[in-house]
Structures are given as structure tokens and as C-alpha cells.
Amino acid sequence: MPAQYVIGIDLGTTNSVLAYSSLHNEHPLVQLLPLPQLTAPNSIESLPMLPSFLYLCTAEETTAETFAMPGSDDASFVAGHAARKLSAEFPDRTIGAAKSWLGHSKIDRHQAILPWQAASDVAKISPVMASQRYLEHIVAAWHDAFPDAPLVEQHVVLTVPASFDASARELTREAALAAGLPHLFVLLEEPQAATYAWLDAIGDRWRKLLKVGDRMLVCDIGGGTTDLTLVEVAEEDGELTLQRAAVGNHLLVGGDNMDLALAHHVAQLFEEKGTNLDPWQSVSLWHSCRNAKESLLSDEGPDSQTISVPGRGSKLIGGLVSVSVDRAEATELLMNGFLPEANLSERPHKSRASGFREIGLPYEADTGITRHLAAFLNQSLAGSQLTHVLFNGGVFKAKALRGRLLQQLHGWFPENPPNPVEGSDDLDFSVARGACFYGWTKLHGGVRIRGGTARSYYIGIETAGLAIPGAGRPLKALCVVPNGMEEGTEVDVPSDAIGLIVGEAARFRFFSSASRRTDQPGDLLPRWSPDELSETDSLEATLPAGDDAEDDYVPVRFHSRITELGVLELWCVHETTDKRWKLEFSVRDDAD
Amino acid sequence: MGRISLAWRILTSGAFTAKVTQLLDLASKPEAPVALAAPVKPIVPAKSLRSDAVNLLAALQREGRLIDFLKEPIEAYSDSQIGAAVRDIHRDCGEVLERQFAIRPVLDQAEGSAVNLSGQPKGGKIKLTGKVGEGSPSSGTLVHHGWKVSKSELPVWTGDADSASVVAPAEVEVR
């Protein structure tokens, strides 16, 4: 059957959303799919978001089907609202932020490592599997609502952070296909999706609001991550076009960090009063702080606010403890901690002071988002003017934070302060909505943001030379994909022939860079700073020993291709016969 | 893989389609015995053993601790103690009501403003107070804008008869 719907899925770090539109309408009419999920044992509610949390049941709970989802054949885990609530009480049985692990190239993301630091009796799963579970839940909700329109036959757009590199995207694809997404689904970067949501909201008026040469910052601060993108307005055949000019690095700092910082501050206030909170109360406090954040930051709020933690037993008021939080102090803490005043020339602070560093998610050492933003703008604008800013992410529901960031941008560009563009106020849903709208425009025509790859990619080549005992051969990085390479294009990489041994796996170290924007295929980098190039999963190819091979090695060059769906493919091409072999991401056995 | 997607896979598997086709064929020949196809399990079951009212109570207690609050004797507490507790209950119960009912005013105008009554269907929507004489008055002043639910999406409860009366389970901490 031909597709009836176009579907946008936002697989978020903290919440996931599905938006859809019928293809039979004349204009896209984007709606959110209510997602049935457990809110407590035996209680199912349909909510617009599926919290991206997974609780792994105890053996007893599995047998008793305490958290069984009707229609499911596996009662050993539960995703969504109930899992998020359980995460507070049972952190070592609950998986959160699986997506951040998916983007973490220092670990093997196929290995069952989550929940991180779980007890030994917990059957851990891999970041890829966790992502698959969330998507399976969403896919099942779709089938429950539209039994006559199998998802695998619809047009599906799935969003990923702009900062995800090729291997994180590939892993997302793998989880999505396993969960039942159609083979031809499209990956879209989240800040672009937010921009599409804005384009959908204002219609053709954007052509009046923006002019050639304008540069718009898309600043997306979610629960756990911050994603930055710069969009430029260009002209082509007399028509305005949008071009994604740059993306920032993957920053693991977001709204949850702010809530925690506030909770920590309030817990200290309790301590000063002689009240020590037990773990259960601390969780309750975190919840209160999340809610108090907005009113504490608002300019119209009271000078101080009472934050209380109720008693755990049935005596709610009897067991209540409360403390008064000074608004100025809380504002200072959050603003200076997360959006401190910075110079455009400032760089994020690095702290590598302690000798031990726990292996885990590489949370930002510097939580000052403004300093990360300064570094990004400084590099991507290269002295030109920023004209507009689009805010996205749940954090910006607090007007004060939006105001603070605008104020900072005004400080950086005092002569022509960037204008905030007003889109939908639906900050929690705009990525899914925008993805759906993008799917629509892809099929029916309409404005497109062009950008190509957000990064340039490099293959590590060991150079020939005298071997020095104890030292590896010097490594050079061969650019195989330039920044901005567009979907549906391919390129031969000029280089000396590289000899590959037949019959055994050839492995290549693989690097990417968001900041080196001018490197061209064939450029050979003799050295680079660790900030410029980051290493990701290695690539490998096994060349079968062919019949016509006279030698035990074959000379190859590289050929790279970006498919229409945005998937990066790298090929080794035989110098003379034109035979080709695809390079695949290695399934790593050495988690380092 | 498969979790709740199982139901769907049964639905689209060739075997099922074949069976449906077979059933349709059989249905046209009334003398043939009709076998029942395996039912597809939907996410939300048709019948719940607990009333919606109890589901609502359970949600208000679970998320806003409303039952704890209403059941607690409050004579001994000061207004400020009660006030501190009420903020959280107000916020959390309000969220439940918003999510499940999205309660909105019946008349979307400011209280104290004039209401044009001509042509307004009254019935249960508008209650007239004050000098209500015979005949239908043409205008009045809005005293209370009223409330209505704009949806009613209560949780569906899937438990057994044994626990149908439990609004909040007893909590026992294992040490």
C-alpha cells in the first residue's frame, strides 16, 4: 500500500515525541500522537511525550508482571512515565540519557553497559538496545492508533543531534531499523527540525523576515544536552534559500543540571537549619526545585520562595519540612553557573586537575553555556554579524533564561542586536513537528535547509618512515569527506594508492571535525590539535582474495558518498580494476 | 525485539491474512463451521475492573497526595504550615487535572463584564441569578465564568479485582 502519512519522531535525551500528518491533505496538518504508557503499576495514560527512561524490573516484578504493558510479550522492563518516576527511587535499575551514551564514542555502544554502575543482579542492556526499546514503544503506539497504516509503509523522519557524528548516526539507524522503522527513513538534525517547525508556523512570511546574508543561531537547550547550529540565508536563482552553515560540538549540559544545582543549594539550606534529607526526600526536593526554577527566575516573582518537602508517611503536613529560598541568591546561582556573562573571545574552561576521572558520560567540565556559545560563534561567524536567534528546548520555557541569553547576544553585537524569531511556543514538541513538516516538504516541495554533512571526516594513514622503537609510526589524517558535502553526491578522494592486504580485515582509524570547514578531499593533515579532530569508531573492510589477484595486497583509493537519506558511505576502490569494497564501522571488542 | 509491536506483527503476518481470507470465504457459505481468529491485543483493554472515579482519586493521591492532605487532621497546624504544604499539592493536583481534563471557563470573558444573553442557549451552561422574573432577560453581569472540561482522558486501569479498591498501596521499606 502507498504511504498515507508522514511521521516525524523526536527520539530525545529525556523525552520522545511522534508527530504526524496525513498525506492526503492539501497542506500539512501536523498532529501529535498520544502515547499510551504506564504511569504506575496497572495504570495506563496516553501522554504526548514518552519520557526516555527505561526501568529494568526485578525477577519478581517480571514474574508478577507488575509493570506489564498490555499487548506486550515482555514484562521485564517498562519505558516512559512510570520509568522516570522509578528512576528517582531506583537509580541503579533505571536507564536515562541513553542517547548521550549513543553519542559517546569512547565506549562500545553495543555492549550491555546500562544502567551505568548498576548492581550485579541487573541484566544490563546496550545504549543501542535502550534506544530501540523507546522506538519500539512509540511504533507500537502508532500501530495501536493506526492499525491500517503500518509504520514501515509510511514516510518517516527521525531526528538526531546536529553534533552526532557518522557512527552515532549509524547506531541510531540500526536501533531504528530494529524497532521497525522503514528502511528508507530519513535522519534530520534537531536544530534544523526546530527551524522547520518555525517555518511551518510562520508560513511564507519568513521570506520577508529574513534577507540575503542574514545569519540565524538555533540554540537548543534540552534536558541533558545543548545543541548549537548556525543557519545562513543565501540566494539562488532569485529565491531565498537557507543553508546550515555550522554546528557545535556535543555538549552534555542542559536543564537537568540547573535543577540539580538548585536542589543542591536548597539541600544546603536545609542542612543549615539542621534538617538532613533522606534519599527519598532529596528526590522530592529535586522535583520541587524543577518547578520552582521558573518562578524563582521570573522578574515578577516574590523576593523569596518557600520550598517544602512533605513527610513521607500519610501525615503530609505533620512531616513537612520547609526552607525559604532567596530569589536573588537562586538567580545568581543559576545565571552565573549556566549563563555567566562572557566575552565573545572567551573559551570554555577546562579542568583536568584530578588524576582520577570516572569513566562515564563526558559531562562538560564548564557548565557555562555562554562560554561554549562564545566559542561556537567566534569560530563559525568569523567576524560577521549574527542577525537572528531561534530558541528551542524545554529550558527556554523559563522566560528569564531566554532574556539572559538575548542580553548576552546584545552585549556581543551591540550595534545590531540579533532578533529573536517567534515561532511556536511549543518548545517540547517543535522538533517532532518540524521533522514531520520536513517530511512533507520533501514529498510536496517547499523550503529546504541545505547543509550537507555537518562535519568533515578523515581516515588515519600511518606514514611510511623509519620505525622508532616505542613510538608508533606518525599518523596523518586524510580528508575523505569535506564539511557541507550534500546528500546525493559522491567524490573520489585523490591520494597515493594505499595497499590493502587481501583476506584479512583492514582497519582504519576514523576522525571527524566540526571546526575544520575548508579541508578538501585528498588534503593530508600532518598534525592537528585535540580540539579540532575527534576520533570515532574505526572503520574496516575485508577484501576477499580474488581469483585474479596476483599479489597478496591490492592498491586502493577512497571514494565517499552521501546517500539521499543522509547516510555516509566510504568505499575502497581498486586502482586499476575499479572493483570496490565498502568500509563498515567496526564492531569493537576493545572498549577503551 | 518486539514488545508491544507483537500485536501488529500478528496482524500483518501472512498467516493471519490467509486466515481472514479463509474466514471471509467461509462466511459466504453459511453451512460451514466458523473458526475464531486469534484476537489482536490492543494496548488499552476494553474493560477495566475499577471505576474511573477511583482511577482519578488514585492519580490525585499518587501525584499530588490529595488524599493524604484531606485525611490529615489539620486543627493543630498553623496557617503557615498548611500553606507551605498546599503549594505543592496545588501544583501537582493542578497538573493532573490539566492533563486529564484541561478545565477551561464556560464563558471566555472577564468576571464583572456584561453578558449578552439573547440567543444564548442557557440550559446547563448558564445559570441566572438575581432578579430572575418571567420572560428571558437580554443581558446580565458575569459573576462566575463557570468551568467545563475540554477533554476527559482518565488513566485506564488494568489490575485485578483484588486491588481494585486500593487508591494508594501501603509502602514498606526493606532494609
Side-chain angles (χ1 to χ4, degrees):
Chain A
M1 227 204 296
Q4 295 161 267
Y5 296 93
V6 54
I7 295 171
I9 300 176
D10 171 10
L11 176 63
T13 315
T14 44
N15 286 296
S16 298
V17 179
L18 185 150
Y20 66 97
S21 170
S22 164
L23 280 168
H24 303 312
N25 301 338
E26 206 170 312
H27 298 286
L29 190 72
V30 180
Q31 286 168 290
L32 298 177
L33 179 74
L35 302 167
Q37 55 195 286
L38 286 173
T39 47
N42 294 325
S43 178
I44 299 166
E45 257 185 83
S46 288
L47 306 172
M49 291 193 269
L50 180 80
S52 308
F53 287 83
L54 200 67
Y55 171 77
L56 306 178
C57 301
T58 61
E60 203 177 325
E61 285 165 342
T62 305
T63 322
E65 303 201 334
T66 313
F67 293 102
M69 194 66 193
S72 144
D73 53 347
D74 190 344
S76 68
F77 59 87
V78 59
H81 194 279
R84 185 179 61 194
K85 284 189 91 173
L86 288 161
S87 73
E89 271 182 89
F90 306 102
D92 50 359
R93 301 199 77 88
T94 319
I95 297 170
K99 188 162 112 175
S100 296
W101 288 97
L102 210 56
H104 183 14
S105 60
K106 296 275 190 316
I107 51 140
D108 179 359
R109 288 150 290 178
H110 282 105
Q111 216 174 49
I113 51 164
L114 299 180
W116 190 248
Q117 289 173 336
S120 55
D121 64 323
V122 179
K124 296 189 198 182
I125 64 172
S126 72
V128 176
M129 179 56 83
S131 306
Q132 181 185 330
R133 295 287 190 224
Y134 303 138
L135 287 168
E136 280 172 353
H137 191 112
I138 292 170
V139 169
W142 172 267
H143 289 143
D144 192 54
F146 297 95
D148 300 329
L151 188 104
V152 77
E153 292 174 8
Q154 313 307 314
H155 288 284
V156 180
V157 179
L158 179 68
T159 61
V160 286
S163 48
F164 260 22
D165 67 11
S167 75
R169 286 171 200 229
E170 189 55 39
L171 293 166
T172 307
R173 250 181 85 72
E174 190 188 316
L177 293 177
L181 266 71
H183 212 77
L184 293 179
F185 82 89
V186 180
L187 285 176
L188 176 69
E189 292 171 10
E190 283 154 18
Q192 286 194 49
T195 310
Y196 280 111
W198 171 66
L199 291 168
D200 182 26
I202 70 160
D204 243 6
R205 275 190 299 137
W206 76 269
R207 291 178 197 278
K208 296 201 175 81
L209 286 168
L210 302 179
K211 59 180 191 308
V212 176
D214 278 356
R215 287 176 186 81
M216 179 163 77
L217 165 73
V218 185
C219 183
D220 186 353
I221 306 185
T225 51
T226 294
D227 214 0
L228 304 169
T229 283
L230 188 71
V231 175
E232 278 181 11
V233 185
E235 193 172 9
E236 207 169 89
D237 305 328
E239 283 273 298
L240 287 187
T241 59
L242 295 174
Q243 191 110 26
R244 194 261 283 105
V247 303
N249 286 321
H250 198 57
L251 303 177
L252 288 185
V253 55
D256 294 347
N257 305 59
M258 299 185 191
D259 301 338
L260 258 183
L262 188 58
H264 190 73
H265 170 67
V266 178
Q268 272 179 331
L269 294 178
F270 272 114
E271 218 164 283
E272 282 164 24
K273 278 181 71 179
T275 314
N276 280 313
L277 303 177
D278 67 22
W280 183 86
Q281 287 175 310
S282 303
V283 169
S284 183
L285 175 66
W286 188 6
H287 178 63
S288 297
C289 287
R290 191 185 328 226
N291 288 293
K293 183 176 67 185
E294 245 171 88
S295 57
L296 273 171
L297 286 175
S298 127
D299 287 338
E300 297 93 50
D303 284 344
S304 71
Q305 194 174 325
T306 307
I307 290 188
S308 330
V309 177
R312 183 159 192 194
S314 72
K315 287 200 174 37
L316 175 77
I317 308 173
L320 185 93
V321 287
S322 50
V323 76
S324 168
V325 180
D326 187 58
R327 185 166 69 92
E329 242 176 69
T331 310
E332 163 102 359
L333 172 87
L334 293 177
M335 294 301 192
N336 285 351
F338 296 94
L339 297 171
E341 217 168 293
N343 285 320
L344 195 50
S345 56
E346 255 182 272
R347 293 291 161 270
H349 302 160
K350 285 177 189 167
S351 80
R352 293 222 175 88
S354 84
F356 286 101
R357 192 160 170 236
E358 191 197 355
I359 302 170
L361 282 176
Y363 291 111
E364 297 315 315
D366 185 357
T367 56
I369 292 172
T370 31
R371 280 190 285 268
H372 291 282
L373 182 60
F376 171 69
L377 287 178
N378 203 11
Q379 192 175 49
S380 57
L381 285 170
S384 54
Q385 170 76 29
L386 182 72
T387 56
H388 296 81
V389 55
L390 174 67
F391 292 118
N392 194 52
V395 162
F396 289 115
K397 283 191 282 189
K399 274 197 194 127
L401 291 174
R402 234 188 298 191
R404 173 60 172 252
L405 210 56
L406 267 181
Q407 188 193 337
Q408 179 67 79
L409 289 172
H410 286 202
W412 288 341
F413 306 97
E415 276 147 42
N416 290 302
N419 288 314
V421 298
E422 303 294 339
S424 62
D425 272 340
D426 231 7
L427 295 172
D428 286 323
F429 306 109
S430 50
V431 167
R433 284 177 178 281
C436 179
F437 178 72
Y438 167 75
W440 174 276
T441 60
K442 217 170 147 63
L443 293 167
H444 288 80
V447 59
R448 292 278 298 274
I449 303 167
R450 300 181 45 182
T453 54
R455 299 169 160 260
S456 44
Y457 289 92
Y458 307 82
I459 281 178
I461 305 282
E462 276 178 17
T463 50
L466 285 175
I468 308 162
R473 288 183 186 279
L475 189 75
K476 290 188 178 180
L478 174 70
C479 179
V480 287
V481 173
N483 186 303
M485 182 165 164
E486 294 214 21
E487 287 93 6
T489 61
E490 44 197 302
V491 63
D492 283 317
V493 181
S495 72
D496 292 337
I498 290 145
L500 292 190
I501 298 167
V502 295
E504 64 181 69
R507 265 197 189 193
F508 297 97
R509 290 173 72 180
F510 193 47
F511 302 84
S512 73
S513 170
S515 58
R516 296 191 63 103
R517 272 187 258 287
T518 51
D519 289 341
Q520 288 305 308
D523 287 359
L524 201 57
L525 277 48
R527 70 191 77 81
W528 54 88
S529 74
D531 294 347
E532 280 183 309
L533 254 59
S534 50
E535 182 158 12
T536 180
D537 288 356
S538 56
L539 293 166
E540 64 182 29
T542 304
L543 278 53
D547 329 315
D548 53 343
E550 306 115 37
D551 279 321
D552 50 359
Y553 80 94
V554 290
V556 299
R557 290 180 211 279
F558 296 108
H559 179 85
S560 44
R561 173 169 179 244
I562 311 287
T563 70
E564 282 295 342
L565 307 174
V567 180
L568 164 64
E569 287 180 2
L570 282 169
W571 297 78
C572 296
V573 184
H574 192 288
E575 254 219 306
T576 49
T577 66
D578 255 13
K579 255 193 179 170
R580 48 183 60 205
W581 302 270
K582 195 173 161 195
L583 284 163
E584 307 275 4
F585 284 109
S586 313
V587 178
R588 295 160 29 139
D589 37 27
D590 54 336
D592 48 358
Chain B
M1 51 170 264
R3 197 183 172 200
I4 13 200
S5 58
L6 177 78
W8 172 71
R9 269 186 280 115
I10 295 170
L11 186 65
T12 51
S13 70
F16 182 77
T17 317
K19 195 152 200 176
V20 170
T21 320
Q22 194 190 357
L23 276 174
L24 290 174
D25 283 350
L26 289 172
S28 57
K29 300 171 203 147
E31 70 276 14
V34 175
L36 282 178
V40 174
K41 279 198 279 180
I43 289 179
V44 175
K47 201 170 181 305
S48 172
L49 291 172
R50 191 161 86 172
S51 81
D52 281 350
V54 182
N55 288 341
L56 177 60
L57 283 183
L60 289 170
Q61 163 64 16
R62 189 172 62 238
E63 294 188 35
R65 300 192 60 186
L66 185 68
I67 310 300
D68 283 342
F69 176 63
L70 295 176
K71 292 295 285 178
E72 188 170 7
I74 60 168
E75 293 77 14
Y77 300 125
S78 71
D79 285 2
S80 65
Q81 275 176 299
I82 297 172
V86 162
R87 261 181 209 288
D88 288 11
I89 300 166
H90 179 266
R91 178 194 67 218
D92 294 339
C93 289
E95 270 174 24
V96 173
L97 290 187
E98 179 60 29
R99 203 167 79 208
Q100 301 187 355
F101 300 104
I103 297 177
R104 301 284 180 268
V106 175
L107 289 185
D108 220 359
Q109 60 186 85
E111 288 174 2
S113 63
V115 179
N116 184 4
L117 291 172
S118 51
Q120 282 262 27
K122 280 167 274 296
K125 263 188 148 180
I126 294 177
K127 176 183 154 198
L128 298 179
T129 62
K131 286 183 192 150
V132 185
E134 282 176 27
S136 38
S138 63
S139 71
T141 307
L142 185 64
V143 181
H144 189 303
H145 58 46
W147 294 115
K148 63 175 182 199
V149 301
S150 46
K151 62 178 178 183
S152 182
E153 291 173 8
L154 282 157
V156 176
W157 194 74
T158 59
D160 54 19
D162 213 28
S163 53
S165 64
V166 176
V167 174
E171 289 181 40
V172 180
E173 186 165 315
V174 184
R175 288 178 194 277

